[in-house]
Amino acid sequence: MRIASPGRRLARSLVSYSHVALLSLAIAACSSDSTAPDTPAPIAVASVAITPSTASVSVGATTSLSAEARDAQGRVLSGRSIAWSSSASTIASVSASGVVTGVAAGTATITATSEGRAATASVQVTPVVAPVASVAITPAANSVVVGQTLRLTGEARDAAGQALTGRTISWTTSAPTIATVTAVDAVSATVTGVAAGTVRITAQSEGRSQELSITVTPPPNPVVSIAVSPALDTIEAYETQTLTAVLKDSAGRVVTTVPVTWTSSNASVATINAQSGLLTGVDRGTVTVTATAGALSTTVQRVVVIKYRSLVLGTQHACDLASGGIAWCWGMNGTDARLGDAQVGDQLHRTEPFRVPGGHRFVQLTAFSRYTCGLRIDGAALCWGNNGWGTLGGGVSTGYSATPVEVPGGLRFTYLSAGIEHACGMTVQRNTVCWGYNQWGQFGAGHNRYVTGPQAAASGLALNIVEAGDSFSCGLTSAGAAHCWGSNGLGQLGDGQRPSYGNTYTMAPAPVTGGLQFQSLSLGSQYACGVAFDGSGYCWGRNGGRFGNGNTSDQSAPTALTGGHKFRSISAGFNHTCGVTTSDDVYCWGNNVNGQLGSTMAFSYAPARAIGTAKVADVRVSGIGTGSSSFTCAISKDRLTTWCWGRNDFGQLGNGARTTAEAVNATASVVVGQRPL
């Protein structure tokens, strides 16, 4: 046996390997000649479907959506990836698996996308609905009359007691033979009394309920009487009065279940609210008011009246304040429109009252010369007429205003007083201010410059009231102490200094001598009068018979009136003076050339009874005049009538007529024509 050498064994191995390789190549070559099938391409997604297409979920809750990819034939394709998205993730979010979570109330669109194809679903997110915790019934009425109805309203509430909207209330009655209950809407019902007894009405919502016990009472006996109150049979124009009706049956029992309807026979005289019975006076006259209850009615009469609150007299013109705060003026209008009448002219006059234009409501009027001022209900001061030296307070010193103009500066007043060429007032802060002419220091401000707008006056003095006169002013403290300032040539400041009959004046307030305490003051033409706390009357300054003390001597200190009368008020004017006593009588003294004293005597140096036995509430005399242009006006005690007497050449008596300048008109004439509308 021969053993091959290693080299020979290697050679044989290589030959064998070569054969195998060649064989393999041959086989491969044969195989390449055969045809094998290709791997098929994936089917394209043609559409996506979401189930459900709409869904609802509350805030904080979830709901699941599913999506399928489909081919062109609508066959479901498995194994395809689905991507989810939300159009408003602040309303509804969606997870990768299609789980939608409600975030906030609203609507969101959820989109499922696969291989460029998409489908959408609409998801409505609703707020969390709080459960009903309780039910309330209103009103808490506990009775109804047989045959009548009572409306009830239910309210569903949460655990915090807050009202829940959108909840339905159902109603039941425990005894339909006593009372029925009928739903009116989702929350209300009417209870109808059927027979006398007690019944339980139940309101229910979502398992919660509330009961109301109602007593059904027998029907009352028919109403047989109606009594209207109050018994007062008059009402002022612009005022209101609430009428009430008491109904009674045949047994005398008060009936409260029958409604009353009110009517007025003449709405131009008075109107009345049909349900409330609120009566409002409109114009002077008589009206019949009817109260109706079922088939029964009764009537009452109400007389609508105009009352007069106060009077002011200037130069040849007068004004009064009537019901509703309406200002009326009459007499001379002149070139300065002191009546508030835009038709100015030297000869223009009003023999009957003319309503001051502008629709203003006043609480006080004042006049002394050729202009007028009023305190409006809101505290504003308004003036009209002559504006010489800035008497209207509007910042200029010439011209006139035919209509009321507000004193600028935003001040609010409690009292106004017009002098001959200056005016003063008390503000709500109890400050004294003046405006206009100041040559004689009548502001009491330490200077004598005129000012066309309100300026602080009565320096260093706390006053309750201030009055303006002829070139001087006076005021009263809370204790009734009188102080005066301005012109003093005739002793009109009452400071006890001997009258100098010259251009003497004081620019600072000086106390009136004598230590008297006054309740009121009135300033006239270079003199003043006051009523002491005990009703005694005093005057000082220029006398000439104006003092009523029996002589004509000027006095620089308060001088008592003769006669021992006790006064409620005194009015100082140009050449005569009048006052109202505590017994409501008018007394006048001084010059009487035109009958302004209410008598035919030529002159009176002492208080003399005027206009017979008439009782009055207020009296005023004319201020600065030319010659003997003096007249007097008064308001009756019942305030239903205004009288005037004296000079009437420009219709200043307001009686619809006019006389010559020299005529004596000593008999009181009724001022006519004043109406609220």
Side-chain angles (χ1 to χ4, degrees):
M1 172 177 187
R2 285 191 300 179
I3 300 175
S5 64
R8 296 180 69 177
R9 287 196 299 269
L10 177 60
R12 285 195 297 271
S13 297
L14 292 172
V15 170
S16 297
Y17 180 78
S18 299
H19 287 154
V20 173
L22 290 172
L23 181 61
S24 297
L25 290 172
I27 294 171
C30 292
S31 297
S32 63
D33 294 335
S34 306
T35 303
D38 295 332
T39 303
I43 298 173
V45 175
S47 64
V48 177
I50 294 182
T51 304
S53 59
T54 60
S56 177
V57 64
S58 60
V59 174
T62 60
T63 187
S64 295
L65 303 179
S66 62
E68 294 177 336
R70 296 181 179 178
D71 62 14
Q73 285 74 44
R75 293 185 293 264
V76 176
L77 301 174
S78 60
R80 304 303 172 94
S81 176
I82 304 293
W84 296 87
S85 64
S86 172
S87 65
S89 58
T90 57
I91 294 176
S93 63
V94 61
S95 70
S97 61
V99 177
V100 179
T101 301
V103 179
T107 301
T109 300
I110 304 300
T111 303
T113 305
S114 180
E115 300 177 13
R117 303 293 182 178
T120 60
S122 178
V123 176
Q124 178 72 38
V125 181
T126 60
V128 177
V129 178
V132 176
S134 64
V135 177
I137 301 175
T138 57
N142 56 12
S143 68
V144 65
V145 179
V146 172
Q148 296 186 3
T149 61
L150 173 67
R151 181 161 179 162
L152 302 177
T153 299
E155 183 180 76
R157 298 176 178 176
D158 62 16
Q162 300 297 312
L164 299 172
T165 60
R167 309 302 170 92
T168 300
I169 306 294
S170 61
W171 301 86
T172 57
T173 174
S174 65
T177 58
I178 296 176
T180 61
V181 61
T182 304
V184 176
D185 51 36
V187 297
S188 300
T190 56
V191 177
T192 303
V194 177
T198 301
V199 64
R200 296 187 307 279
I201 303 298
T202 302
Q204 187 179 51
S205 180
E206 300 178 14
R208 301 292 182 176
S209 63
Q210 178 66 41
E211 285 187 353
L212 179 66
S213 180
I214 294 179
T215 299
V216 181
T217 60
N221 293 329
V223 175
V224 298
S225 69
I226 304 174
V228 176
S229 61
L232 182 69
D233 61 357
T234 62
I235 181 175
E236 283 191 58
Y238 290 99
E239 301 299 321
T240 60
Q241 181 185 91
T242 299
L243 304 184
T244 59
V246 178
L247 313 180
K248 291 185 179 181
D249 61 18
S250 57
R253 296 182 294 243
V254 176
V255 178
T256 60
T257 56
V258 179
V260 177
T261 302
W262 301 89
T263 57
S264 167
S265 65
N266 192 343
S268 64
V269 175
T271 62
I272 192 166
N273 185 283
Q275 286 72 46
S276 68
L278 181 66
L279 183 72
T280 302
V282 177
D283 195 359
R284 184 189 284 113
T286 301
V287 66
T288 299
V289 177
T290 302
T292 302
L296 188 67
S297 65
T298 191
T299 61
V300 294
Q301 283 192 331
R302 288 294 185 269
V303 178
V304 181
V305 300
I306 297 176
K307 289 191 176 183
Y308 306 107
R309 307 298 186 190
S310 60
L311 277 165
V312 294
L313 276 61
T315 300
Q316 300 166 320
H317 83 287
C319 301
D320 66 17
L321 191 61
S323 296
I326 308 302
W328 300 84
C329 296
W330 61 93
M332 180 66 179
N333 196 43
T335 58
D336 39 33
R338 67 197 73 171
L339 303 184
D341 191 339
Q343 303 179 59
V344 297
D346 286 338
Q347 298 303 311
L348 183 67
H349 57 86
R350 294 274 187 174
T351 61
E352 294 185 6
F354 169 80
R355 180 172 178 175
V356 175
H360 304 288
R361 303 287 184 88
F362 298 99
V363 296
Q364 185 216 340
L365 299 176
T366 181
F368 189 78
S369 184
R370 297 180 296 163
Y371 71 103
T372 313
C373 295
L375 179 61
R376 203 167 58 193
I377 58 176
D378 63 353
L382 293 90
C383 298
W384 59 96
N386 186 278
N387 191 42
W389 303 103
T391 52
L392 303 187
V396 297
S397 60
T398 59
Y400 67 91
S401 177
T403 57
V405 292
E406 185 171 341
V407 176
L411 295 174
R412 291 296 180 261
F413 295 85
T414 60
Y415 189 79
L416 299 174
S417 180
I420 182 173
E421 291 174 326
H422 79 291
C424 297
M426 297 294 303
T427 71
V428 294
Q429 294 82 18
R430 297 188 64 188
N431 297 321
T432 304
V433 297
C434 296
W435 58 91
Y437 195 60
N438 189 39
Q439 180 178 348
W440 309 106
Q442 51 262 56
F443 287 9
H447 67 85
N448 60 352
R449 303 181 303 276
Y450 79 88
V451 180
T452 58
Q455 184 183 68
S459 301
L461 197 59
L463 299 176
N464 272 14
I465 200 76
V466 62
E467 298 286 354
D470 181 2
S471 303
F472 74 109
S473 307
C474 296
L476 291 177
T477 68
S478 59
H483 297 257
C484 296
W485 55 95
S487 178
N488 196 34
L490 296 169
Q492 55 263 54
L493 301 189
D495 57 1
Q497 301 297 315
R498 183 179 179 85
S500 63
Y501 303 100
N503 296 331
T504 303
Y505 59 92
T506 298
M507 294 188 296
V512 174
T513 191
L516 294 168
Q517 294 178 310
F518 295 96
Q519 56 180 294
S520 64
L521 295 175
S522 179
L523 277 58
S525 179
Q526 301 174 321
Y527 78 107
C529 295
V531 178
F533 281 170
D534 66 355
S536 300
Y538 296 85
C539 296
W540 58 93
R542 181 187 179 190
N543 187 358
R546 300 168 178 83
F547 288 7
N549 66 340
N551 62 64
T552 60
S553 300
D554 299 336
Q555 299 291 332
S556 61
T559 302
L561 277 64
T562 62
H565 305 289
K566 299 297 183 182
F567 292 90
R568 285 195 286 105
S569 66
I570 293 177
S571 177
F574 176 61
N575 57 17
H576 77 296
T577 312
C578 292
V580 180
T581 67
T582 54
S583 58
D584 305 318
D585 299 315
V586 178
Y587 282 81
C588 296
W589 53 96
N591 192 302
N592 195 39
V593 67
N594 293 116
Q596 60 262 41
L597 303 187
S599 67
T600 58
M601 67 179 74
F603 210 99
S604 179
Y605 295 102
R609 183 76 175 270
I611 61 172
T613 61
K615 299 294 185 179
V616 305
D618 189 24
V619 68
R620 289 290 184 271
V621 302
S622 55
I624 298 298
T626 56
S628 301
S629 58
S630 295
F631 66 107
T632 308
C633 294
I635 297 174
S636 63
K637 186 178 180 180
D638 60 9
R639 297 189 178 276
L640 297 179
T641 307
T642 298
W643 297 297
C644 293
W645 58 95
R647 187 154 174 156
N648 193 37
D649 52 331
F650 288 104
Q652 49 265 60
L653 301 190
N655 60 1
R658 173 182 190 197
T659 62
T660 63
E662 296 78 16
V664 177
N665 301 287
T667 301
S669 298
V670 175
V671 177
V672 298
Q674 298 180 74
R675 307 182 68 84
L677 299 177

